[in-house]
Amino acid sequence: MDEKQLRCLVALQDIDIMIQETEGEQKLGFKTEGINKLKATREELTEKIEKPLFRRYELLRQHYKRAVVPVQDNTCLGCFVKLPTSLTTRGKENIEVYTCENCGRILYWLD
Amino acid sequence: MDFQEFTSYFHPNLFITELKAETKDEALEEIVGVLSEHKGLKDKWLILEMLKRRENLGSTGIGHGIAIPHGRSLSIKEMFVAFARSVDGIPYDSIDDEPVHLIFMIVAPPHEHNQNYLPFLGKLVEILKEEGNREQLAKCENFDQLIDILAGGF
Ligand SMILES: [Zn+2]
């Protein structure tokens, strides 16, 4: 997966969490008419992400609040399970997508 | 969320009896200033920007003279609430167009383990819906009184 796809996916997740939280605020009685702008930005981002990757993200989102999580000290920060070393010594080539073997979340590295 | 947990997010240093601010932006800046001094933050403008962005989504002035500016920021590690009062009132583009006299500012980190942000917000809104609580808060002079009034909501 190239860096740009990953960046879009992380940005999409940020917006999704923001939309979700804003909808929670709406129920509490806050004015949030600007949520439509967030939703429009979400649509734009969605178009930049390859369909299979986007579908995988949407599926994961039904199970987890965060479908895309960083890796730190060889550990998936979604489920806190250590990753096998074969996965953590990654090269620079375009490998389609890394997922955690334990929880299935999409992984990214904070370089 | 129980009373103890609810009040753990407040702090005596984050209690402002009389805001000098006359506008919404000034008020946000003044409160964030107090906060960054208390927490020793270097990048207070990040929090300020975040709060202003949230206001652009829709004013957090919920009516009856109350505003609850809030949002998440990488600049802080744990959620906190600041309380501020303006006797003269601040124009805030509120739901009922009334000036704001009481401000509760909430800033939370992007990732929280206990996910207390929305439940906290909900409990605060519930307490502020009671007219009696609002009247008492308008008169409250110190931090202990603030906590006493909030205790009435539990
Ligand atoms: Zn995992």
Side-chain angles (χ1 to χ4, degrees), chain A residues 64 69 75-83 99-107:
Chain A
Y64 304 120
V69 296
T75 303
C76 161
L77 291 191
C79 67
F80 297 96
V81 162
K82 249 199 171 0
L83 303 166
T99 53
C100 171
E101 279 186 358
N102 183 54
C103 68
R105 287 182 177 91
I106 297 166
L107 302 172

Side-chain angles (χ1 to χ4, degrees), chain A residues 87-103:
Chain A
L87 192 68
T88 56
T89 51
R90 74 200 161 115
K92 283 280 169 205
E93 66 275 358
N94 272 0
I95 296 169
E96 56 161 334
V97 60
Y98 288 103
T99 53
C100 171
E101 279 186 358
N102 183 54
C103 68

Side-chain angles (χ1 to χ4, degrees), chain B residues 88-133:
Chain B
D88 295 335
I90 296 162
Y92 207 93
D93 183 33
S94 290
I95 282 178
D96 57 6
D97 285 326
E98 291 296 320
V100 158
H101 293 277
L102 302 175
I103 299 180
F104 290 86
M105 179 185 284
I106 307 169
V107 182
H111 313 269
E112 291 165 89
H113 294 299
N114 49 15
Q115 299 292 338
N116 264 346
Y117 178 62
L118 275 184
F120 179 89
L121 203 52
K123 187 66 201 177
L124 185 60
V125 168
E126 187 193 312
I127 293 171
L128 295 172
K129 269 189 183 147
E130 296 291 327
E131 195 183 341
N133 291 337

Side-chain angles (χ1 to χ4, degrees), chain B residues 46-54 70-73 107:
Chain B
L46 275 176
I47 295 182
L48 203 55
E49 277 309 303
M50 175 278 291
L51 290 168
K52 285 180 184 172
R53 264 206 313 279
R54 174 57 189 81
H70 60 271
R72 293 189 185 275
S73 172
V107 182

Side-chain angles (χ1 to χ4, degrees), chain A residues 13-40 42-43 61 65, chain B residues 54 57-58 70 72 117-119 121-122 125:
Chain A
Q13 168 161 279
D14 281 347
I15 287 185
D16 277 338
I17 290 170
M18 216 187 283
I19 289 172
Q20 209 182 351
E21 220 150 55
T22 310
E23 280 167 351
E25 291 178 26
Q26 254 170 358
K27 290 195 192 105
L28 297 177
F30 282 94
K31 278 205 289 185
T32 54
E33 59 273 8
I35 197 171
N36 293 328
K37 263 187 247 161
L38 285 179
K39 287 182 174 166
R42 180 185 203 273
E43 286 314 303
R61 213 158 66 88
K65 188 174 179 194
Chain B
R54 174 57 189 81
L57 211 59
H70 60 271
R72 293 189 185 275
Y117 178 62
L118 275 184
L121 203 52
V125 168

